[in-house]
Amino acid sequence: MNNRVEKLLQNWGAEKEQVPVPEFFSKGIDDLLDQLPDSPQQPIVKKPKRNKWMMKGLIATAVVSFGIIGSGFVSPAMAQVLKEVPIIGSIFGGSSDSSIQIIDEKGLASQLNETVTNNGVSLTITEAYFGGGRLVIAYTVEADKIELQTIEKGHGVPISFDALLNGQRFDYMSDFEQRVENGVATGIIDMSVGLEHPLLDQPTLFLNINEVSGIKGSWNFELLLGNGATSEATHGFAPLVSATWGEATFVVERVEFTPAQSQIIIERTIPGSEMDYYFFNVFDENGTSLGFSGGSGGPITDLGNGMVRFRDTVLLPGREEAPNGLKIEITNNHGILGDINNFVEVSVPLTETELPYTLNYPDGSKFIITSYEQLADKTIIHYDIEGRLSLQSEFLMLFDQNGESIIELTEPERTSLDKLSFKREFDKSEGPITLHTTMQKVNTVDWQLMEVDLTNE
């Protein structure tokens, strides 16, 4: 790692003609380089660890500390140079996921820089973000005996690990991305998290890594998560609003909106025979969908009378501002919604159909196609809904006159607050087009709304 830092800094100094560098800053770099060891054989005198959060290694400490001190007074151009140096800059900023890039843009990550070396593999946890049901960890890997690989998000597992929060197990699903430059891998572990217990503002993550790029070993980290910037950017509420529906009871325990991801924790007490039949859709106070990013369920408690209790963590896309209220649509599909025999396919040839055209659902809801536009660069479908709010995200496909599908470009967008009007954008099209969807043959879905007011929280 030391030789790599030295090389990066020397290259950086050689390029300072392209990016103006203040003289005092260049001198600081020169002073740092003078302190670097001349060769790998020259030992580095290690100071005793003052506490478990200090960074490992004299050189890493010098570089990171210099970056932190400098970031407060260097020019914007100089700040950008700092971010371009992999050891100093944020790995989150280079993610293919725009919601992870936001963590870097808004400075929400906790700087960790903890290194463990085992079996010839040096693994450094550089930074982490924890909030809104999401835990994102950045790392670097250096290894002489293995060939590190670039991995696109969702297309590989470069690291195997176990994790605890404050010593307790928790539910999580992980995704990875990793890229390799100059023999060094920089990567991101992206975890969707479901928790059973409330946590402190700065919980401790015990990350036990047992395999890196096919090499088995032990890389154990104890990492302090959370910081003031994350807390300030988090809009959290504990409304404890409840709703009953027959024998079922639902309690909204916790709501968190963060720029990177949001979450709603709902405790439900329901008949054990209907555990898998309920679903949630979440909307703002005006009935506009807040999206869906996944979810998980916690451990199940059998209450002994045919009833069970457990918590759902509903994950939503990130939001910088919290809505003034929530509408949670609870649906019960009675266990047969997934049966293909329960659906009929519906095709509406838009160029031959008089608009507006209404699709009537068995539960009384309506999907009303009001108009469409075939522009030079895209195709837009306009529609209204009545009844179930979740119809705004109903499955839709467009086909051209040759039966080829037209790619959907955007999620549904609300176009009016006076009524439930929306639009969806598809790729450009010419000639006759047909809208395709599916509809239930019979009413197999019951639904009701649960409203949560956040204005007074």
Side-chain angles (χ1 to χ4, degrees):
M1 178 71 78
N2 296 348
N3 290 337
R4 173 171 165 73
V5 172
E6 182 176 3
K7 182 179 179 181
L8 285 169
L9 293 174
Q10 289 172 336
N11 289 341
W12 181 17
E15 296 172 358
K16 62 184 177 183
E17 292 183 1
Q18 283 74 32
V19 182
V21 181
E23 181 179 355
F24 70 88
F25 197 93
S26 298
K27 185 178 185 301
I29 294 292
D30 293 336
D31 291 343
L32 175 63
L33 291 175
D34 290 339
Q35 297 174 21
L36 291 171
D38 295 330
S39 67
Q41 287 74 32
Q42 185 173 343
I44 300 174
V45 179
K46 295 185 178 180
K47 297 180 180 180
K49 288 181 59 178
R50 296 184 180 179
N51 59 61
K52 62 186 176 183
W53 307 120
M54 289 184 65
M55 291 166 286
K56 306 279 195 304
L58 178 61
I59 301 305
T61 302
V63 173
V64 174
S65 297
F66 193 80
I68 293 172
I69 294 170
S71 64
F73 52 74
V74 299
S75 68
M78 194 69 244
Q80 185 58 39
V81 171
L82 279 172
K83 297 175 79 70
E84 293 300 322
V85 182
I87 301 302
I88 299 175
S90 171
I91 294 173
F92 291 156
S95 172
S96 61
D97 187 328
S98 59
S99 63
I100 295 179
Q101 295 173 18
I102 289 174
I103 298 173
D104 173 43
E105 293 168 4
K106 297 195 172 296
L108 303 180
S110 300
Q111 302 303 315
L112 301 172
N113 296 294
E114 294 282 345
T115 301
V116 175
T117 300
N118 187 242
N119 286 347
V121 176
S122 180
L123 177 64
T124 300
I125 304 298
T126 62
E127 56 193 325
Y129 169 83
F130 183 51
R134 192 173 195 177
L135 174 54
V136 192
I137 302 167
Y139 65 87
T140 66
V141 177
E142 289 190 84
D144 296 331
K145 298 181 180 179
I146 58 175
E147 182 177 350
L148 301 170
Q149 296 182 337
T150 293
I151 296 174
E152 295 183 8
K153 190 164 187 177
H155 290 79
V157 181
I159 287 178
S160 176
F161 67 90
D162 295 312
L164 301 173
L165 275 171
N166 291 347
Q168 297 182 338
R169 295 199 174 275
F170 61 102
D171 296 323
Y172 57 85
M173 295 182 63
S174 303
D175 211 345
F176 302 85
E177 59 179 304
Q178 178 174 286
R179 62 181 180 179
V180 180
E181 294 181 2
N182 300 320
V184 177
T186 58
I188 296 172
I189 306 171
D190 187 7
M191 304 166 66
S192 293
V193 173
L195 296 174
E196 275 294 294
H197 308 281
L199 295 174
L200 302 172
D201 289 339
Q202 285 194 298
T204 300
L205 174 70
F206 297 90
L207 185 65
N208 305 313
I209 296 173
N210 50 61
E211 186 173 338
V212 178
S213 297
I215 300 296
K216 295 187 180 298
S218 180
W219 298 265
N220 297 328
F221 297 87
E222 186 176 337
L223 308 170
L224 190 64
L225 303 177
N227 57 35
T230 300
S231 298
E232 186 174 342
T234 299
H235 302 274
F237 311 88
L240 297 178
V241 173
S242 64
T244 58
W245 185 4
E247 295 182 276
T249 300
F250 304 88
V251 180
V252 180
E253 292 189 337
R254 178 73 181 168
V255 179
E256 280 186 3
F257 293 99
T258 81
Q261 185 168 280
S262 304
Q263 69 173 342
I264 300 175
I265 299 176
I266 302 173
E267 180 189 79
R268 52 169 150 163
T269 303
I270 60 175
S273 58
E274 298 188 359
M275 280 177 45
D276 299 324
Y277 298 169
Y278 290 95
F279 296 90
F280 307 100
N281 291 287
V282 184
F283 312 87
D284 67 14
E285 69 276 16
N286 298 310
T288 305
S289 174
L290 296 181
F292 181 72
S293 296
S296 63
I300 300 168
T301 300
D302 188 345
L303 301 180
N305 55 356
M307 304 291 287
V308 295
R309 178 177 295 150
F310 57 96
R311 287 178 175 83
D312 287 289
T313 300
V314 182
L315 301 178
L316 311 174
R319 291 177 66 93
E320 292 189 36
E321 299 294 333
N324 292 323
L326 296 178
K327 293 183 178 181
I328 302 174
E329 190 177 77
I330 307 170
T331 60
N332 187 332
N333 66 19
H334 304 289
I336 57 176
L337 184 62
D339 187 350
I340 60 174
N341 295 318
N342 191 45
F343 287 88
V344 59
E345 294 188 354
V346 177
S347 294
V348 182
L350 297 177
T351 46
E352 303 172 13
T353 302
E354 184 178 351
L355 301 178
Y357 182 85
T358 301
L359 300 174
N360 293 291
Y361 287 77
D363 64 3
S365 298
K366 296 181 179 181
F367 188 98
I368 307 166
I369 306 167
T370 57
S371 65
Y372 70 95
E373 302 174 79
Q374 288 178 290
L375 305 179
D377 60 342
K378 59 188 173 184
T379 305
I380 304 176
I381 304 296
H382 296 269
Y383 59 95
D384 298 341
I385 65 168
E386 296 179 8
R388 272 189 293 131
L389 292 175
S390 56
L391 279 182
Q392 63 190 264
S393 303
E394 187 74 345
F395 165 74
L396 293 182
M397 291 189 69
L398 281 187
F399 293 94
D400 63 18
Q401 57 189 330
N402 298 316
E404 298 291 332
S405 62
I406 302 170
I407 298 173
E408 186 169 1
L409 302 177
T410 62
E411 295 293 324
E413 179 182 339
R414 185 81 174 263
T415 57
S416 172
L417 291 180
D418 295 331
K419 57 181 181 178
L420 293 167
S421 298
F422 302 87
K423 72 175 183 180
R424 288 198 216 178
E425 296 184 357
F426 295 78
D427 205 352
K428 63 182 180 179
S429 64
E430 296 179 355
I433 56 175
T434 299
L435 182 145
H436 178 83
T437 185
T438 59
M439 184 182 295
Q440 303 156 40
K441 294 179 181 177
V442 295
N443 183 17
T444 59
V445 175
D446 296 330
W447 60 278
Q448 72 171 30
L449 278 177
M450 177 181 185
E451 299 199 25
V452 180
D453 183 11
L454 305 180
T455 54
N456 296 320
E457 295 294 330

